[in-house]
C-alpha cells in the first residue's frame, strides 16, 4: 500500500519554470497543491502562467474549460513556508544551490509532520549530500522532472544513500499514477539522462572540431538519418551553452576527470565569448534577423547506377536493398560469410562504418575506392545519409556512391574521413554510457532506454538501438575509435564486453 492517495496534499516550493509545471501535474491528478515561492508574487505568477497555458489547450479543444478551471483552483498559493505544514509530500524546485536547499529542508523538517516525504527536483546536486544535513534523510528522495514538466514523461526517482527504499517505491508509483514514466536511479553524477546524454553533444563537438563536417551538416545528419528531433548544435543553442557547458563540467569533475566526459574547447570558446545560443542571439548559429540560415552540405545529383553487387551480409543496412531495387537498380548478390558486407557500385566499394578511418580500412581491405556510410535509425525512412570516402578514393568512385544513395531517395552529405562518422559513433557512445551506468548499479538496462526516450525525446533507446545493430558491432566501433584516437574516452564498458562475450 502506497503512503499516497488522491487525498494527499502536495506542496511545491519554487514556482519558477519547473515548480509551476510540477504543481500543474499534481493538480491535474486531483491533488490539493500548495505552492510557495520566496519571491513575492511568484507563486501567483506561476499559477497565472499555468492558467494561460491551460486556456490554450481549452481553445484547441484539448481540455474543457471546467476541467482547466478546476485544475487551477486546486493550486493554492501560500505566502509563508509555515503554511506547507499539512503537506504529505513536498517537492522542491528552487535555486540549484546545496546550501540553500539544505537550509529550506531544515525548515521543512520542523514545519511538516515526521512522515512527510521531501522530494528534490535537483538535476545536478547529490541527493545524498542534500540529505546529509537533515534529521530524517530517509525521507528525502530525488524526483527529477524534465522541462516542460507537464509534457515530458520521464521522472527519475533518485535514491540517496539514506533514502528509504519504500519511499522511493511510493514516489515511483505516484509518478506513474500522475501519468509519468518513472525510473529508479541511484544518486550519482548526472543521474541517468544527464550522464548518458553527454556523448550526444560531445561527439558532435568533436567531429566539428576536427573539421569533418560543419554544424548544419552534423545537425541534419543526426535529425534526418539518426531520427533525433534536433541535432546537437541546435539543441545546445536552445539549452544555452552556459547551462550545457556547466552540466558537462560538473559531470566531468564529479567523475574525477574521467576523459569520457571531457568538456569541449569549442563550446568553452562560445561561453567565454558570451555566445550562449538562442537566448543571447548567437551560439553555433546566428539568430539575428538578417542572418543567413546555415544549410547542410548536400552533394550534387549524380547518375544512378544500373546495377550493383552486394557481397556478404549488410546487417542493419540490408534495409537499403529494397530501396535500391525499387529504384530499378539490378542487384547481384554474392554469398560470402568470410567478409564484412559490402556494396560494389562502379569503381566504389561501400561499407557501413565500423569506427575505423575509411582510409585505414581501404588499405586493410585493399579497396582504395572504399566509401564508408553512416548508421541510420531506419534506412527506409532516413532522408539523408553521410558518406566518408577514403583519402585514396577516386572522384568517379565517390560519384558512383553518391548516385546510388540518391537513387534510393537520400540526400547525400560527404563528410571528411572521421572514425565512426556522425550517427554511428554518437549512438555507440550513448549506449556505452548507458551500459556503464547499468554496470555501476545506477539503474537497469530498461531504465536507460525509458529515460532517454521519455526525458530527452530520443527516437529509440540507445541500448535497444545497439542491440538491433549488434552488440559486437558496437564493441568493434568503440575498439576502433580507441585505436584511432588512443584515448580512454572510447573504452568500452565492461558490461558491453561481458554481454558480447556471453554471445549477446
Ligand atoms: P527557476 O529560476 O525558474 O525557478 C526557481 C524559483 O525558486 C524562483 O521562482 C525563485 O524565486 C524560487 N526560490 C529560490 N530560492 C527559494 C527559496 N529559498 N525558497 C523558496 N523559493 C525559492 O528555476 P527552475 O528552472 O524552475 O529550476 C528549479 C530547480 O529544478 C533547480 O534545482 C533545477 O536544477 C531543477 N531543474 C530544472 C530544469 C530546467 O530545465 N529548468 C529541469 C530539471 C530540474
Amino acid at each position: 500500500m502506497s503512503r499516497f492517495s488522491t487525498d494527499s496534499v502536495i506542496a511545491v516550493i519554487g514556482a519558477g519554470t519547473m515548480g509551476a509545471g510540477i504543481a500543474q501535474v499534481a493538480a491535474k491528478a486531483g491533488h490539493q497543491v500548495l505552492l510557495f515561492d520566496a519571491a513575492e508574487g511568484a507563486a501567483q505568477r506561476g499559477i497565472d502562467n499555468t492558467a494561460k497555458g491551460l486556456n490554450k489547450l481549452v481553445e484547441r479543444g484539448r481540455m474543457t474549460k471546467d476541467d482547466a478551471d478546476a485544475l487551477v483552483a486546486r493550486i493554492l498559493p501560500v505566502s509563508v513556508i509555515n503554511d506547507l505544514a499539512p503537506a504529505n509530500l513536498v517537492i522542491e524546485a528552487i535555486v540549484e544551490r546545496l546550501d540553500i536547499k539544505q537550509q529550506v529542508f531544515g525548515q521543512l523538517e520542523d514545519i511538516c509532520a515526521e512522515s512527510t516525504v521531501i522530494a528534490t527536483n535537483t538535476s545536478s546536486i547529490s541527493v545524498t549530500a542534500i540529505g546529509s544535513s537533515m534529521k530524517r534523510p530517509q525521507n528525502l528522495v530525488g524526483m527529477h522532472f524534465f522541462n516542460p514538466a507537464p509534457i515530458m514523461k520521464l521522472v527519475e526517482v533518485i535514491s540517496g544513500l539514506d533514502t528509504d527504499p519504500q519511499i522511493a517505491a511510493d514516489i515511483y508509483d505516484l509518478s506513474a499514477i500522475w501519468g509519468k514514466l518513472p525510473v529508479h536511479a541511484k544518486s550519482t553524477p548526472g543521474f541517468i539522462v544527464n550522464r548518458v546524454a553527454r556523448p550526444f553533444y560531445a561527439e558532435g563537438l568533436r567531429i566539428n572540431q576536427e573539421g569533418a563536417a560543419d554544424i548544419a551538416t552534423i545537425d541534419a545528419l543526426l535529425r534526418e538519418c539518426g531520427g533525433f528531433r534536433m541535432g546537437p548544435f541546435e539543441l545546445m543553442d536552445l539549452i544555452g551553452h552556459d547551462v550545457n557547458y556547466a552540466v558537462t563540467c560538473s559531470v566531468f569533475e564529479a567523475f574525477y576527470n574521467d576523459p569520457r566526459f571531457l568538456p569541449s574547447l569549442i563550446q568553452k570558446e562560445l561561453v567565454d565569448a558570451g555566445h550562449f545560443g538562442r537566448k543571447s542571439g548567437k551560439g553555433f548559429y546566428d539568430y539575428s534577423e538578417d542572418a543567413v540560415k546555415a544549410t547542410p552540405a548536400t552533394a550534387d545529383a549524380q547518375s544512378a547506377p544500373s546495377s550493383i553487387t552486394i557481397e556478404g551480409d549488410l546487417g542493419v543496412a540490408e534495409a537499403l536493398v529494397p530501396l535500391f531495387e525499387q529504384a530499378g537498380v539490378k542487384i547481384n548478390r554474392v554469398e560470402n560469410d568470410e567478409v564484412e558486407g559490402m556494396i560494389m557500385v562502379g569503381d566504389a566499394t561501400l561499407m557501413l562504418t565500423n569506427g575505423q578511418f575509411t582510409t585505414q580500412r581501404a588499405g586493410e581491405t585493399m579497396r582504395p575506392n572504399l566509401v564508408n556510410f553512416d548508421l541510420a535509425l531506419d534506412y527506409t525512412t532516413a532522408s539523408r545519409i553521410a558518406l566518408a570516402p577514403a583519402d585514396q578514393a577516386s572522384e568517379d568512385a565517390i560519384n558512383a556512391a553518391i548516385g546510388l544513395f540518391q537513387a534510393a531517395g537520400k540526400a547525400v552529405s560527404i563528410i571528411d574521413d572521421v572514425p565512426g562518422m556522425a550517427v554511428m559513433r554518437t549512438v555507440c557512445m550513448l549506449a556505452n554510457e548507458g551500459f556503464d551506468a547499468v554496470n555501476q548499479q545506477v539503474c537497469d538496462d530498461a531504465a536507460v532506454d525509458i529515460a532517454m526516450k521519455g526525458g530527452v525525446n530520443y527516437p529509440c533507446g540507445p541500448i535497444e538501438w545497439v542491440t538491433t545493430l549488434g552488440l559486437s558491432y558496437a564493441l568493434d566501433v568503440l575498439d576502433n575509435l580507441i585505436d584511432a584516437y588512443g584515448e580512454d574516452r572510447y573504452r568500452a564498458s565492461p558490461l558491453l564486453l561481458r554481454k558480447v562475450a556471453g554471445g549477446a
Side-chain angles (χ1 to χ4, degrees), residues 319-381:
L320 285 166
V321 179
L323 302 183
F324 298 148
E325 278 168 344
Q326 281 157 25
V329 178
K330 184 175 174 302
I331 296 176
N332 311 305
R333 286 222 71 139
V334 178
E335 300 276 322
N336 189 347
D337 292 343
E338 306 291 311
V339 296
E340 292 176 284
M342 61 183 94
I343 305 166
M344 271 76 76
V345 51
D347 292 340
T349 301
L350 282 155
M351 292 172 97
L352 175 64
T353 176
N354 65 349
Q356 280 184 301
F357 283 109
T358 316
T359 304
Q360 185 189 0
R361 201 181 192 187
E364 286 178 10
T365 55
M366 291 190 291
R367 292 178 174 274
N369 286 322
L370 185 66
V371 178
N372 273 348
F373 60 92
D374 207 351
L375 178 67
L377 173 67
D378 178 347
Y379 282 102
T380 310
T381 55

Side-chain angles (χ1 to χ4, degrees), residues 27-28 51 54-55 57-59 61-74:
K28 183 164 185 237
L54 293 176
N55 275 343
L57 295 183
V58 173
E59 280 164 21
R62 302 209 357 231
M63 194 177 195
T64 67
K65 180 151 185 2
D66 285 355
D67 283 351
D69 289 346
L71 188 161
V72 173
R74 280 194 291 274

Side-chain angles (χ1 to χ4, degrees), residues 173-197:
D173 291 345
L174 185 68
S175 305
I177 289 168
W178 288 1
K180 297 295 176 189
L181 279 175
V183 291
H184 281 293
K186 203 160 74 174
S187 181
T188 43
F191 311 138
I192 305 175
V193 168
N194 280 335
R195 172 187 185 152
V196 176

Side-chain angles (χ1 to χ4, degrees), residues 13-14 16-18 37-38 93-94 96 101 104 121 123 144-145 147:
I13 303 198
T17 312
M18 294 307 291
D37 195 289
I94 65 168
E96 189 74 337
K101 289 194 196 282
V104 166
N121 182 47
S123 43
H144 188 208
F145 289 83
N147 190 13

